[in-house]
Amino acid sequence: MNDAALPARTPDARGPQPVEIALLASVFVVAACGLVYELSAAALSSYLLGDSVLQFSTIIGTYLFAMGVGSWLSRYFDRQLPAHFLRIELMVALIGGALPAILFLANAYVPSAFRLLLYGLVMVVGTLVGLEIPLVMRILKRNIVLKNLVSQVLTFDYLGALAVSVAFPLILVPQLGMIRTGLLFGFMNAAVAVWALWLFRHELRRVGAHAMACFLALAALVAAFVWADHITTLAEDKFYQDRIVFSATSPYQRIVVTRGLLGHRLFLNGNLQFAERDEYRYHEALVHPVMAAQGAPKKVAVLGGGDGMAVREILKYPSVESVTLVELDPNMTKLFTDHETLAALNGHSLSSPKVKIVNTDAFQWLQQPGDMFDVIVVDFPDPTNFAIGKLYTNSFYALLEKRLSASGYAVIQTTSPLVARKSYWTVATTIESVGLRATPYHAHVPSFGEWGYIIASRRPYRMPDALPSGLRFLSPSTLPLMFDFPLDMARVPAEVNRLSNQILVTTYEQEWGKVMAH
């Protein structure tokens, strides 16, 4: 039966009929599911590939293009529209619902094929989603006049997209995780297929075969949902190699803690943040050159560093009266406060009465009026994307300067001056652009290699004569060696990193990309 053969029906003056209401509700669900698959692909690519702006832009662009292809292809569906709609719903349910799980596994087992698989799945799912709405509209036009049809379908489509855009980052991913979120909405797509099977049971041929297909799809999605933790563990065990002792997905990042022969390691979005065996080198080098040089710091701020390791080192100074830790992700500070083993690594520093934890964006926090600090420790992840890159701009350092006391020092962890040489000196140039002195130094941390830091201050930096007792890495005699740069790490010309260009993110990806390629 084709569209032309369908009997024309006059819209019922009594209002929408049950079939119409059911199909419009299906539009809401279809729109919600389609957006979840799009957001899942974009979020996963930004987690695993970095540069969130680039990943979201290219994924959304590819997905919209694929939807356009699907809409164009819908013209070739002439007969048995309900049957086509049902089959497409089942394909979207299975492919779209499994998309996060497939990508997680691909990243762990076949990383070289990840990008190809990512964009291939986005094209397939986008094309199928692009077919859905035109088919629904052609089915609905039997009963609804055109002017009402378009407005009603688009209204439900946009409402579904709105609901998911709010729920995805605030409820779905934090509570269910990425894999279960995808599978849940795959189940909803399959439920729409079941609903369509019931609504059009008198029009469909081979109803039994359609019913069996719906049952198998639902069973597969339910089984995958139940086993989602095993899928995640399978992927992450392969990727991280060491045993995973904690993992969680927050609205901001994927947090994974592993334990192996070399102790605990913390990963954020797959990037190593510290390794227990040598984190003392990194954190002693980060904290003590400025704390000891300041003299008797009383008020200290730590921006980032939600693991509490930097705070542990800061509390070794009796003069410290208060430490304000500004960490965006409350999951991080809670983990390293409450988890007994991890809290032991930071000496239970986050439970100290001297420590105040503020879970907010550091950029926004600096914009608010507040205390001046004798020392500010800036311990952000490397600038792998524009969301983090803003914390390395001249705008950020101008705000930092306003919260620094006249005799105070700020220290910024600044990637590797050996691997990402231009990126490192870009930060130095950016600090100097706001009128602060930049004093660079570096230390060798085996888990990371040669690592860099930069001190920002109004006054010239003075080398301290003494350091706290009990340090494992630094000593007054070896400290000066950290401020000497060999030729292969010496300063190179670099631009100022501004909010308007974020040149640092591009430079960083180019330099580290060369290393990863080899």
Side-chain angles (χ1 to χ4, degrees), residues 398-421:
L399 294 171
L400 190 73
E401 187 268 341
K402 292 178 182 179
R403 303 293 287 273
L404 197 61
S405 64
S407 60
Y409 291 113
V411 60
I412 297 101
Q413 90 79 17
T414 323
T415 197
S416 170
L418 180 62
V419 175
R421 184 177 177 183

Short mmCIF file of all heavy atoms in Angstrom, two decimals, residues 398-421:
data_model
loop_
_atom_site.label_atom_id
_atom_site.label_comp_id
_atom_site.label_asym_id
_atom_site.label_seq_id
_atom_site.Cartn_x
_atom_site.Cartn_y
_atom_site.Cartn_z
N ALA A 398 45.39 37.79 34.93
CA ALA A 398 45.08 39.14 35.42
C ALA A 398 44.20 39.05 36.66
O ALA A 398 44.37 39.83 37.62
CB ALA A 398 44.37 39.93 34.33
N LEU A 399 43.26 38.13 36.67
CA LEU A 399 42.43 37.92 37.86
C LEU A 399 43.26 37.35 39.00
O LEU A 399 43.08 37.73 40.17
CB LEU A 399 41.29 36.95 37.53
CG LEU A 399 40.23 37.45 36.53
CD1 LEU A 399 39.29 36.29 36.15
CD2 LEU A 399 39.43 38.60 37.12
N LEU A 400 44.17 36.45 38.68
CA LEU A 400 45.04 35.85 39.69
C LEU A 400 45.89 36.92 40.37
O LEU A 400 46.07 36.92 41.60
CB LEU A 400 45.94 34.82 39.02
CG LEU A 400 46.77 33.90 39.93
CD1 LEU A 400 45.87 32.87 40.60
CD2 LEU A 400 47.86 33.20 39.12
N GLU A 401 46.39 37.85 39.58
CA GLU A 401 47.26 38.92 40.11
C GLU A 401 46.54 39.77 41.16
O GLU A 401 47.13 40.20 42.14
CB GLU A 401 47.73 39.78 38.93
CG GLU A 401 48.78 40.83 39.29
CD GLU A 401 48.17 42.17 39.67
OE1 GLU A 401 47.00 42.40 39.31
OE2 GLU A 401 48.87 42.98 40.32
N LYS A 402 45.22 39.97 40.97
CA LYS A 402 44.45 40.80 41.89
C LYS A 402 44.25 40.13 43.25
O LYS A 402 43.94 40.81 44.23
CB LYS A 402 43.09 41.13 41.27
CG LYS A 402 43.18 42.04 40.06
CD LYS A 402 41.80 42.30 39.47
CE LYS A 402 41.89 43.18 38.23
NZ LYS A 402 40.55 43.42 37.62
N ARG A 403 44.38 38.80 43.32
CA ARG A 403 44.19 38.08 44.57
C ARG A 403 45.50 37.70 45.25
O ARG A 403 45.51 37.01 46.28
CB ARG A 403 43.36 36.81 44.32
CG ARG A 403 42.02 37.05 43.67
CD ARG A 403 41.06 37.79 44.58
NE ARG A 403 40.57 36.95 45.65
CZ ARG A 403 39.50 36.16 45.54
NH1 ARG A 403 38.81 36.14 44.40
NH2 ARG A 403 39.11 35.42 46.54
N LEU A 404 46.62 38.17 44.67
CA LEU A 404 47.94 37.86 45.20
C LEU A 404 48.45 39.01 46.04
O LEU A 404 48.43 40.17 45.59
CB LEU A 404 48.89 37.58 44.04
CG LEU A 404 50.21 36.85 44.33
CD1 LEU A 404 49.95 35.46 44.90
CD2 LEU A 404 51.03 36.74 43.04
N SER A 405 48.88 38.75 47.27
CA SER A 405 49.40 39.81 48.13
C SER A 405 50.67 40.41 47.53
O SER A 405 51.30 39.81 46.66
CB SER A 405 49.69 39.27 49.53
OG SER A 405 50.73 38.30 49.47
N ALA A 406 51.05 41.57 48.00
CA ALA A 406 52.19 42.30 47.42
C ALA A 406 53.47 41.48 47.43
O ALA A 406 54.27 41.54 46.50
CB ALA A 406 52.39 43.61 48.16
N SER A 407 53.66 40.69 48.49
CA SER A 407 54.88 39.88 48.60
C SER A 407 54.62 38.42 48.25
O SER A 407 55.46 37.56 48.53
CB SER A 407 55.43 39.98 50.03
OG SER A 407 54.47 39.50 50.95
N GLY A 408 53.47 38.15 47.68
CA GLY A 408 53.08 36.77 47.44
C GLY A 408 53.65 36.15 46.18
O GLY A 408 54.17 36.84 45.29
N TYR A 409 53.53 34.84 46.11
CA TYR A 409 53.96 34.08 44.94
C TYR A 409 52.80 33.18 44.49
O TYR A 409 52.08 32.61 45.31
CB TYR A 409 55.15 33.17 45.25
CG TYR A 409 56.45 33.88 45.53
CD1 TYR A 409 57.02 33.84 46.81
CD2 TYR A 409 57.11 34.57 44.53
CE1 TYR A 409 58.22 34.47 47.08
CE2 TYR A 409 58.32 35.21 44.79
CZ TYR A 409 58.87 35.16 46.07
OH TYR A 409 60.07 35.80 46.33
N ALA A 410 52.67 33.05 43.18
CA ALA A 410 51.79 32.04 42.61
C ALA A 410 52.67 31.07 41.82
O ALA A 410 53.70 31.47 41.26
CB ALA A 410 50.76 32.66 41.69
N VAL A 411 52.29 29.81 41.79
CA VAL A 411 53.02 28.83 41.00
C VAL A 411 52.02 28.07 40.14
O VAL A 411 50.93 27.72 40.58
CB VAL A 411 53.83 27.86 41.89
CG1 VAL A 411 52.93 27.08 42.84
CG2 VAL A 411 54.67 26.90 41.04
N ILE A 412 52.40 27.86 38.88
CA ILE A 412 51.51 27.22 37.91
C ILE A 412 52.20 25.98 37.35
O ILE A 412 53.34 26.07 36.86
CB ILE A 412 51.16 28.18 36.75
CG1 ILE A 412 50.40 29.39 37.28
CG2 ILE A 412 50.34 27.48 35.68
CD1 ILE A 412 51.24 30.64 37.44
N GLN A 413 51.53 24.81 37.44
CA GLN A 413 52.07 23.63 36.75
C GLN A 413 51.88 23.87 35.26
O GLN A 413 50.84 24.31 34.80
CB GLN A 413 51.39 22.35 37.23
CG GLN A 413 50.14 21.91 36.50
CD GLN A 413 50.40 21.21 35.17
OE1 GLN A 413 51.52 20.76 34.90
NE2 GLN A 413 49.38 21.14 34.34
N THR A 414 52.91 23.56 34.46
CA THR A 414 52.94 24.09 33.10
C THR A 414 53.43 23.10 32.07
O THR A 414 54.28 23.43 31.25
CB THR A 414 53.83 25.36 33.07
OG1 THR A 414 53.66 26.10 34.27
CG2 THR A 414 53.45 26.27 31.90
N THR A 415 53.00 21.88 32.10
CA THR A 415 53.34 20.84 31.14
C THR A 415 54.86 20.65 31.01
O THR A 415 55.65 21.20 31.78
CB THR A 415 52.68 21.07 29.76
OG1 THR A 415 52.71 19.87 29.00
CG2 THR A 415 53.35 22.19 28.97
N SER A 416 55.28 19.89 30.03
CA SER A 416 56.70 19.53 29.88
C SER A 416 57.43 20.54 28.99
O SER A 416 57.07 20.71 27.82
CB SER A 416 56.83 18.14 29.27
OG SER A 416 58.17 17.87 28.93
N PRO A 417 58.48 21.17 29.49
CA PRO A 417 59.26 22.08 28.64
C PRO A 417 60.12 21.34 27.63
O PRO A 417 60.69 21.96 26.73
CB PRO A 417 60.12 22.85 29.65
CG PRO A 417 60.27 21.92 30.80
CD PRO A 417 58.99 21.12 30.87
N LEU A 418 60.22 20.01 27.78
CA LEU A 418 60.99 19.22 26.83
C LEU A 418 60.11 18.73 25.68
O LEU A 418 60.45 18.91 24.51
CB LEU A 418 61.63 18.03 27.54
CG LEU A 418 62.48 17.09 26.68
CD1 LEU A 418 63.68 17.84 26.09
CD2 LEU A 418 62.94 15.89 27.48
N VAL A 419 58.95 18.15 26.00
CA VAL A 419 58.05 17.61 24.99
C VAL A 419 57.23 18.73 24.34
O VAL A 419 57.06 18.76 23.11
CB VAL A 419 57.11 16.56 25.60
CG1 VAL A 419 56.08 16.09 24.57
CG2 VAL A 419 57.89 15.39 26.15
N ALA A 420 56.71 19.64 25.16
CA ALA A 420 55.85 20.73 24.67
C ALA A 420 56.53 22.06 24.95
O ALA A 420 56.03 22.90 25.70
CB ALA A 420 54.48 20.65 25.32
N ARG A 421 57.67 22.25 24.33
CA ARG A 421 58.52 23.39 24.63
C ARG A 421 57.84 24.72 24.36
O ARG A 421 57.84 25.63 25.20
CB ARG A 421 59.80 23.27 23.80
CG ARG A 421 60.86 24.33 24.07
CD ARG A 421 62.08 24.00 23.22
NE ARG A 421 63.15 24.99 23.35
CZ ARG A 421 64.28 24.95 22.66
NH1 ARG A 421 64.49 23.94 21.80
NH2 ARG A 421 65.20 25.88 22.82
#
